[in-house]
Amino acid sequence: MRVALLGPTRVEDDDGTPVDIGGARVRMLLARLALDPGRPVATGTLIDDLWGEQPPADATNALQSLVSRLRKVCPDVTLEPGGYRLEIERDDVDVFRFERLRAAGRTQEALDLWRGEALADVREAPFATTAAVKLDEARLDAEEDNGDLDIAKLTALHERHPLRERLAGLLITALCAHQRQSEALQVYENVRRRLADELGVDPSAELQDVHLAALKGELAPKLVADRLPVRLTSFVGRDEELGRVAQQLERARLVTLVGPGGAGKTRLATEAAARHRLHAKGRVWFLPLAGVRAADDLIGAVLSAFELSFATGDPMRRGPDGMSRVAEVLASGESLLVLDNCEHLVDAAAEFTGRLLRMVPNVRVLATSREPLAIEGESLCPVGPLAVPNGQADISDCGAVRLFLDRATAVKPGFRLDESTADAVKLICRRLDGMPLALELAAARLRSMTVHQITQRLDDRFRLLTSGSRTALPRQRTLRAVVEWSWDLLTADERELARRLSVFPSGADLAAIERICRHDLYVLTSLVEKSIVDVLDLAPEPRYRMLETIRVYAAEQLTASGETAEVLVRFRDHYRDLTERWEPLTRTGRQLEVIAGYETEHDNIVAALRGAIDDDDADTAAGLLTGIFWYWMVKGDNNRATTAVHDVLAFGDRLPADVAAALSAMRLMMQSMPGMPDPEETAAAIDECVRADSIKRFPALAIALPMLAFIIKDKDLAHREVLRAARSDDPWARAGAEWARSFILVDDGDLAGAAVARDRAHELFTATGDRWGTAMSLGMKAAFVSQTGDNLGAIALYHQGLKLAHELRSGEDAVQQHWRLAVEYARFGDIAAAQQQLDEAERYVGDVGNDQMSAMIWYAKAEIKLRAGAVAEARALAESFHDMGTSALLGTFGAEWSALLEARIALEENRFTDAERCLAPAVETTSARSDMPDLAAVVELLAQVRHGQGADAAALRLLSLVKLVRGGLDLGDPGVRGLIAEIGEPEAATVPKDEAVREMRREAGVPD
């Protein structure tokens, strides 16, 4: 959600759809909260700011009523201790975007956000007067900072603010620039007179200086020498760097822009020099060194740039005389020298710059190089990639995207960023590291390719990106030429280390580099200095990485060297050893520490695993998979785990017996979500794990084996495996056994026994320090507490589980917790809170890209609409879910859930016969798989149908059967509570459980 206050109050959804806020007082509340986004505003403060000295009699209740009205259209308003919070980012409010853009030097973009007077429609609120004055003043400051010399605009502003002296000075300057000196002088006279008459003061010294300059004719337009390269394209994406360079040039006499080839150092230096105050005075010189091949030729190139020559002798060899001539020119006033492309002549460039700075005290040098000049007084300005999309919904403000779009529209005017192109543009920007030259070359390809064709060819980037400007230097025309220029400047040791570093897809720490690449820190830091390697300052140690384009080139060189095989062996061995040490710690109090390690090294580990599989190295592949498998389970990365298990099991008898058995069992477990594995195959897999003693090495089997037996409805086998795991020496395995026991006892209808086992599991998981297991046991307890009728207690437990999921940074677990919270809030009757949780779940689903969870979210949407009484909307959602449910996404559960939705909609509309018809297949599938909790939920709906049909005796009997098979009724469901309130709560039936199931099936019309 975005809020606009720079004009009438306006709210938009993430997709730009306007939101109707409502009455004036509600808009005032929203505007006040938006001025403190993400921070709680005290209740007393809000009352004072909305009503001032005349609050209503019951101000607190009046405020609560306003908040309630606002939350109906703006669910991001949350209750905090002592106040309320608008839970949005600062950048979602135009006031703060204005501040950010202005601070970044993007003044015109900041001013474009204004749509009229700030807070225009809420200025009657007590808080608005001060805030509006402050914002209007900031707008005026920005107008003045913008330096726009548009006479009509400045005149209008001056008429509204006749005593604002800086504005008057800009108007005088603009009039003089258009040779309207007499009008300019009249402006000054008018201001002087009004200052004297109204304030009794003289004009400021600054305005008097402008007046004097106007009198002398110094503000008339002048032609000054522009020695900078002609700028033929717009300058995009480096606003912050421009500001930084300007600040550094004020403090230091030598500023060096350092970065890899293609980063845009030359363009940044040119733009910074063009905006420097000395450029308007004709005191900026540009010295391109790319075409200078020998150090001895440097002075001659300098003289050529200055249009000088030696008095005598060889004009390309007389250094001392040349330095004197250059110093003489620069010493005649303050000067700025841009020294471009120093890397191949770095020693000579450093010597020249050092001498120049000593000889000419009033000269400043702005250099560009792929490594520092490394002389005293040098101030470095790193120039890296432009910002690339990183998960945000709106990518249009990313520097890389802005540059690509600018260049794309230049070659293909109809090109725009929309739903059809956004993903492709995002991929291009990320795969090309946000490097300006690469992005410009990619955009140039739009002359002959679609944006999607470009993305499909990024793996062959050196062949793809070859369409540079014909007027550019040869090394700037293709991506390969840019990298080769840097590569050729490396020493033999540097090239050797650089090509070996290409095996790391996501960088590495020093220990890994020393072991795998067999070079020390000194060679590595030399590559950092030469912009071949980036260093990331991460705790506890820095990491070193290559930009992807450099890494691809380095990998080619590694292949050509013949070293690939031996380096990859060391690479895979290192990560197998690392994950072997980490894996046991994923179930301990050091869990978060090792998860952070896995996250950092994930791409390296996956590359090692995929490489071992592709190279038919069974032992290494098995070691790497078992080292990362449980991390994937904790993070919910089931798709990646499933693929890897399938590929490693293909090694067959070459795998150790305990590994093969464990992986086979885990494969069946993952296949059962959703779905039903083959009972005979599953039982055999469980027995093979027992025979191979796999559980000693793989504690996760303490949960997997009992659950597999339960899924295939072999309760005896399930209890056997629970008892086996409960005797384990591993405390985590014992915790897992108690969790599985609780799950099985819930299905048996033994809720008391299940609660004991569940609480024991929670205690043991907590003792081991495993947040994942703790969250699982909390979720199980929350479901039980909800069924007792304590919705708020369940909500509190789900929030605890959500907190643990966030600590684990598990997107999939977070989705499930938000989904459960949404359903529980809806059961409680707080639809706004339910919708807020569902929105969070949707955001996470977008991040993890899980289609199954997307379908579950769609189901929850329909359920929430139904509980809110929006039956028509629920029906539309149910129809969409039906299409998902009948696909393979949810297996057998899809059709079942779809039928339940249709039944509940029919029940809400009093179409009892239709509801009964929809419930029959759900009764059949849940009873067929002996899923007592799910069967009980379906039969509770059937009982409500019978009550609606006037058959209360049948409804009571069904409820008694539910109490038998589940152990209790779902008192957290408002439908069940309402039914009990009308017909009463029966005792549990006394028939055998299998007979109860048959009776349920008969009542639903399902044949035996």
Side-chain angles (χ1 to χ4, degrees):
M1 188 185 79
R2 288 198 165 193
V3 180
L5 304 178
L6 302 179
T9 306
R10 190 173 69 187
V11 176
E12 293 180 349
D13 282 338
D14 287 339
D15 61 2
T17 303
V19 176
D20 184 8
I21 296 302
R25 193 75 68 180
V26 177
R27 291 198 302 277
M28 290 178 185
L29 172 61
L30 173 67
R32 177 59 189 86
L33 291 172
L35 289 173
D36 280 296
R39 296 192 298 181
V41 183
T43 299
T45 300
L46 287 173
I47 291 172
D48 290 343
D49 286 350
L50 294 178
W51 286 284
E53 298 179 357
Q54 296 181 327
D58 192 349
T60 301
N61 282 340
L63 177 61
Q64 289 176 349
S65 176
L66 278 181
V67 171
S68 178
R69 288 163 58 192
L70 179 57
R71 287 185 66 182
K72 289 179 181 178
V73 294
C74 181
D76 291 326
V77 177
T78 61
L79 175 64
E80 299 289 329
Y84 296 92
R85 179 202 307 263
L86 181 59
E87 196 60 51
I88 60 177
E89 300 295 328
R90 284 174 63 86
D91 220 43
D92 290 328
V93 182
D94 61 355
V95 168
F96 301 102
R97 282 205 306 283
F98 170 76
E99 291 180 357
R100 175 179 63 79
L101 291 168
R102 187 179 166 205
R106 295 159 63 179
T107 311
Q108 188 55 55
E109 290 181 61
L111 289 169
D112 289 343
L113 295 174
W114 287 75
R115 298 168 292 108
E117 291 187 341
L119 305 169
D121 57 345
V122 297
R123 289 205 170 196
E124 294 180 3
F127 76 88
T129 302
T130 302
V133 169
K134 181 180 177 182
L135 289 170
D136 288 343
E137 182 69 20
R139 182 184 189 181
L140 274 173
D141 288 341
E143 292 281 9
E144 292 171 346
D145 291 341
N146 202 31
D148 188 349
L149 297 183
D150 181 280
I151 293 176
K153 184 176 181 180
L154 288 171
T155 299
L157 287 171
H158 176 62
E159 288 174 353
R160 291 200 298 272
H161 307 280
L163 297 181
R164 198 171 179 95
E165 295 181 74
R166 188 179 175 201
L167 193 57
L170 286 172
L171 179 55
I172 292 169
T173 301
L175 289 167
C176 288
H178 286 77
Q179 298 181 345
R180 294 161 64 177
Q181 186 184 31
S182 61
E183 294 174 62
L185 296 175
Q186 187 60 51
V187 169
Y188 176 81
E189 181 59 27
N190 293 342
V191 173
R192 185 197 64 74
R193 187 183 307 113
R194 290 195 67 160
L195 286 171
D197 293 345
E198 298 179 25
L199 302 179
V201 298
D202 292 327
S204 65
E206 291 80 3
L207 185 56
Q208 290 184 45
D209 289 342
V210 173
H211 177 236
L212 183 59
L215 286 171
K216 294 180 177 180
E218 293 175 355
L219 301 182
K222 295 179 181 178
L223 292 176
V224 297
D226 184 356
R227 305 180 185 90
L228 296 173
V230 177
R231 280 79 72 198
L232 298 176
T233 57
S234 56
F235 183 74
V236 178
R238 292 288 191 193
D239 304 289
E240 292 184 10
E241 289 90 338
L242 265 179
R244 191 183 313 135
V245 173
Q247 292 174 2
Q248 288 177 281
L249 282 172
E250 290 300 315
R251 298 193 305 265
R253 294 180 60 208
L254 169 60
V255 177
T256 304
L257 309 185
V258 181
K265 300 183 296 296
T266 297
R267 184 59 196 274
L268 175 59
T270 303
E271 199 69 24
R275 300 187 186 194
H276 195 274
R277 56 186 173 79
L278 294 177
H279 184 255
K281 299 179 181 180
R283 299 295 299 171
V284 173
W285 281 264
F286 185 86
L287 180 55
L289 299 182
V292 181
R293 305 309 303 166
D296 290 341
D297 296 339
L298 177 60
I299 294 296
V302 174
L303 291 175
S304 296
F306 279 78
E307 299 179 349
L308 300 171
S309 62
F310 292 101
T312 60
D314 183 356
M316 300 298 289
R317 302 294 177 186
R318 294 290 301 278
D321 183 42
M323 283 297 299
S324 299
R325 299 291 304 281
V326 171
E328 182 181 344
V329 172
L330 294 175
S332 61
E334 272 195 288
S335 305
L336 174 64
L337 174 62
V338 180
L339 208 57
D340 188 42
N341 289 121
C342 299
E343 57 271 357
H344 62 301
L345 301 170
V346 66
D347 291 334
E351 181 182 357
F352 165 78
T353 304
R355 290 180 61 196
L356 184 65
L357 292 172
R358 288 192 298 271
M359 294 174 68
V360 187
N362 58 356
V363 71
R364 296 178 187 275
V365 176
L366 178 59
T368 73
S369 180
R370 301 187 190 188
E371 62 178 301
L373 300 188
I375 62 177
E376 186 177 356
E378 182 179 30
S379 177
L380 297 180
C381 180
V383 182
L386 294 169
V388 299
N390 189 27
Q392 62 268 55
D394 182 6
I395 65 172
S396 61
D397 202 38
C398 292
V401 175
R402 290 172 58 207
L403 177 65
F404 182 83
L405 292 177
D406 183 85
R407 303 305 189 255
T409 53
V411 300
K412 192 172 184 178
F415 186 84
R416 60 176 51 87
L417 187 69
D418 55 27
E419 289 183 0
S420 67
T421 60
D423 287 343
V425 171
K426 187 187 307 182
L427 181 62
I428 290 169
C429 291
R430 296 189 68 170
R431 289 287 306 277
L432 296 180
D433 303 305
M435 294 300 285
L437 178 62
L439 293 171
E440 290 178 336
L441 292 172
R445 278 293 187 186
L446 287 171
R447 291 193 295 262
S448 56
M449 293 183 181
T450 68
V451 69
H452 300 288
Q453 287 174 328
I454 293 173
T455 62
Q456 293 163 5
R457 289 160 176 79
L458 288 174
D459 286 339
D460 193 12
R461 64 186 64 200
F462 291 126
R463 186 178 177 190
L464 174 70
L465 305 179
T466 57
S467 302
S469 170
R470 291 189 176 93
T471 62
L473 291 168
R475 63 182 182 82
Q476 294 287 341
R477 294 179 191 171
T478 70
L479 192 62
R480 178 178 294 278
V482 171
V483 181
E484 284 179 341
W485 170 268
S486 297
W487 193 267
D488 291 343
L489 297 175
L490 303 179
T491 67
D493 281 349
E494 290 166 351
R495 284 195 293 270
E496 183 177 77
L497 174 56
R499 64 178 180 251
R500 293 176 181 178
L501 284 171
S502 68
V503 298
F504 296 100
S506 60
D509 59 21
L510 180 60
I513 292 170
E514 288 181 333
R515 176 180 176 184
I516 297 166
C517 301
R518 297 187 174 174
H519 274 281
D520 59 24
L521 180 61
Y522 298 103
V523 182
L524 180 61
T525 54
S526 181
L527 289 177
V528 172
E529 291 287 324
K530 295 184 177 181
S531 302
I532 297 296
V533 172
D534 288 338
V535 59
L536 305 177
D537 292 325
L538 302 177
E541 290 187 5
R543 286 183 68 80
Y544 303 88
R545 67 165 190 179
M546 286 176 160
L547 294 176
E548 185 63 15
T549 295
I550 297 176
R551 195 176 76 84
V552 170
Y553 183 85
E556 292 181 357
Q557 304 307 305
L558 183 64
T559 301
S561 72
E563 296 179 327
T564 302
E566 62 181 275
V567 176
L568 285 177
V569 167
R570 295 196 294 268
F571 175 75
R572 293 166 189 167
D573 286 348
H574 173 78
Y575 286 104
R576 181 182 58 191
D577 295 345
L578 188 66
T579 55
E580 195 173 273
R581 294 197 305 273
W582 282 349
E583 199 277 340
L585 301 178
T586 57
R587 294 175 292 277
T588 70
R590 294 181 61 187
Q591 184 178 57
L592 296 185
E593 173 192 339
V594 295
I595 283 177
Y598 274 112
E599 288 174 341
T600 300
E601 299 288 1
H602 184 262
D603 289 351
N604 290 332
I605 299 169
V606 171
L609 172 58
R610 296 309 317 172
I613 293 171
D614 292 343
D615 288 348
D616 202 33
D617 185 348
D619 288 342
T620 302
L624 284 161
L625 176 56
T626 56
I628 197 173
F629 178 82
W630 191 245
Y631 164 76
W632 280 338
M633 292 294 97
V634 170
K635 299 289 283 188
D637 199 348
N638 293 335
N639 291 338
R640 195 188 301 271
T642 299
T643 300
V645 167
H646 174 272
D647 291 345
V648 171
L649 281 174
F651 287 118
D653 295 342
R654 295 161 60 190
L655 296 173
D658 60 341
V659 172
L663 293 180
S664 296
M666 297 310 297
R667 178 185 62 184
L668 290 168
M669 192 71 204
M670 289 185 289
Q671 287 174 349
S672 70
M673 300 181 292
M676 175 77 72
D678 179 79
E680 291 186 10
E681 181 187 3
T682 302
I686 294 171
D687 288 339
E688 179 60 20
C689 284
V690 174
R691 188 195 67 77
D693 207 13
S694 298
I695 195 170
K696 283 188 176 179
R697 185 172 174 185
F698 303 102
L701 295 175
I703 294 176
L705 297 186
M707 292 307 298
L708 279 171
F710 170 78
I711 290 169
I712 63 172
K713 298 185 288 188
D714 191 336
K715 288 287 186 69
D716 291 338
L717 182 58
H719 284 294
R720 185 195 82 182
E721 290 309 311
V722 165
L723 292 174
R724 187 189 311 281
R727 296 193 297 269
S728 172
D729 294 334
D730 188 318
W732 190 94
R734 296 197 296 273
E738 294 299 329
W739 185 90
R741 190 198 307 275
S742 179
F743 194 96
I744 295 166
L745 290 176
V746 166
D747 194 73
D748 289 342
D750 182 2
L751 298 187
V756 172
R758 179 200 65 227
D759 291 344
R760 179 64 177 156
H762 181 267
E763 177 186 334
L764 291 172
F765 277 131
T766 302
T768 65
D770 177 27
R771 290 162 175 80
W772 181 84
T774 302
M776 278 210 313
S777 56
L778 283 171
M780 185 178 284
K781 184 173 184 177
F784 172 78
V785 168
S786 175
Q787 289 184 357
T788 68
D790 185 4
N791 298 108
L792 287 177
I795 286 168
L797 289 167
Y798 282 134
H799 272 295
Q800 290 181 43
L802 178 61
K803 179 176 180 292
L804 293 173
H806 285 315
E807 289 179 4
L808 291 168
R809 294 185 291 281
S810 173
E812 189 160 307
D813 285 348
V815 169
Q816 293 192 35
Q817 296 291 351
H818 281 300
W819 175 66
R820 290 167 178 160
L821 275 166
V823 171
E824 199 61 40
Y825 271 119
R827 283 159 60 95
F828 178 61
D830 190 341
I831 301 301
Q835 188 60 54
Q836 184 177 0
Q837 293 296 327
L838 204 56
D839 290 344
E840 283 296 306
E842 277 200 288
R843 184 172 67 82
Y844 274 98
V845 164
D847 292 339
V848 300
N850 187 309
D851 291 336
Q852 283 185 10
M853 290 196 167
S854 294
M856 291 167 62
I857 296 298
W858 212 257
Y859 181 91
K861 282 183 178 181
E863 179 171 354
I864 289 170
K865 290 296 183 185
L866 198 56
R867 293 195 184 278
V871 180
E873 294 178 59
R875 186 185 302 108
L877 289 165
E879 290 172 357
S880 298
F881 177 80
H882 177 77
D883 296 335
M884 299 181 188
T886 53
S887 71
L889 277 179
L890 298 175
T892 57
F893 294 98
E896 181 181 307
W897 290 4
S898 182
L900 284 174
L901 266 182
E902 292 174 12
R904 291 178 59 185
I905 291 170
L907 182 61
E908 189 71 22
E909 295 177 330
N910 296 326
R911 294 185 289 109
F912 302 118
T913 302
D914 290 340
E916 181 179 358
R917 175 179 50 78
C918 293
L919 288 172
V923 169
E924 181 173 15
T925 55
T926 53
S927 60
R929 66 172 183 267
S930 299
D931 190 333
M932 296 301 106
D934 281 3
L935 174 61
V938 177
V939 173
E940 284 172 333
L941 277 175
L942 183 57
Q944 294 173 57
V945 171
R946 289 288 181 260
H947 172 63
Q949 294 170 330
D952 285 351
L956 281 166
R957 178 60 179 172
L958 287 171
L959 291 181
S960 71
L961 294 172
V962 168
K963 291 189 79 169
L964 170 66
V965 300
R966 188 207 274 142
L969 298 177
D970 184 3
L971 301 180
D973 186 324
V976 174
R977 289 199 303 268
L979 180 61
I980 292 172
E982 294 196 27
I983 68 174
E985 181 177 356
E987 295 295 326
T990 56
V991 298
K993 187 175 289 188
D994 57 350
E995 175 56 35
V997 173
R998 285 195 292 272
E999 188 175 343
M1000 290 174 171
R1001 289 171 62 93
R1002 286 195 298 272
E1003 184 65 30
V1006 178
D1008 290 335

